[in-house]
Amino acid sequence: MYFKFTFCPIILLLWASLSFAQNVNVVIHGAASIAKTDDNFVYVTLDWWPAEKCDYNQCPWGKAGILNLDLRYGALINAIKAFNPLRIKVGGSLQDNVVYKVGEVSSCPNFMKREDGLFGFSQGCLSMERWDQLNRFFNHTGVKLTFGLNARFGRNESQTEKGSSDR
């Protein structure tokens, strides 16, 4: 009996909501285009994640992060060339934690797990040696490159950011 009592109000609520529905006609003009994508539409992101990036006891990144990726791997080179033209974005979640070893920068740390770091990691570094390797790779494969830069370097953290739980 209890089941019938709780079931009836649910049916009444659904019936009432359907009684207020309106008929809508949708017309699609398939021959008329309203936008066009160019050759830059296909792109992939090479992320900064270190091999230690794990979630739910799974560590899927392995050596796929930009700092560890084997740039001599033939299948990768062939896949990139097959998508010609292909745009590669170097960036992703940790791009705001990357420092670049150029000019006065003397320290070039590896990404390390850190509880209070952005996404659980410390800063990491792109050395000029690795940049030269990447640059040769991008030139060799003919990709179009988009490079995400660190938007936090040299910036003071606000009180709001200091109190947020993801930092």
Side-chain angles (χ1 to χ4, degrees):
M1 190 64 159
Y2 177 74
F3 176 72
K4 289 181 184 177
F5 178 72
T6 57
F7 186 66
C8 289
I10 292 171
I11 296 288
L12 288 173
L13 183 62
L14 287 173
W15 176 79
S17 65
L18 289 175
S19 67
F20 293 110
Q22 297 177 3
N23 288 333
V24 177
N25 291 326
V26 176
V27 178
I28 299 172
H29 297 284
S33 68
I34 59 172
K36 182 179 176 183
T37 58
D38 62 10
D39 291 339
N40 293 321
F41 182 71
V42 177
Y43 82 94
V44 296
T45 298
L46 293 178
D47 211 316
W48 294 99
W49 290 121
E52 297 79 25
K53 169 66 173 148
C54 303
D55 293 307
Y56 311 106
N57 295 324
Q58 300 289 315
C59 307
W61 284 95
K63 299 279 185 180
I66 195 69
L67 296 174
N68 302 313
L69 189 62
D70 181 359
L71 302 175
R72 297 167 293 153
Y73 185 54
L76 174 64
I77 293 168
N78 292 337
I80 290 172
K81 286 182 176 182
F83 275 102
N84 189 17
L86 177 67
R87 179 168 296 277
I88 289 183
K89 176 190 170 216
V90 175
S93 304
L94 290 179
Q95 79 183 21
D96 285 343
N97 271 17
V98 178
V99 294
Y100 306 93
K101 189 169 184 194
V102 294
E104 301 289 320
V105 177
S106 59
S107 175
C108 195
N110 291 326
F111 282 109
M112 304 290 284
K113 286 187 175 187
R114 197 171 108 187
E115 287 294 318
D116 63 339
L118 182 66
F119 298 106
F121 285 91
S122 67
Q123 284 187 332
C125 179
L126 176 63
S127 68
M128 286 305 294
E129 178 184 359
R130 184 60 174 176
W131 167 248
D132 288 341
Q133 293 169 356
L134 290 166
N135 195 31
R136 281 191 297 276
F137 175 77
F138 296 138
N139 285 325
H140 174 71
T141 55
V143 301
K144 295 176 181 181
L145 182 63
T146 300
F147 203 89
L149 297 176
N150 182 337
R152 292 177 37 162
F153 188 73
R155 208 184 78 162
N156 293 327
E157 211 171 28
S158 72
Q159 291 302 318
T160 304
E161 289 171 324
K162 287 179 182 177
S164 68
S165 61
D166 67 345
R167 299 219 186 262

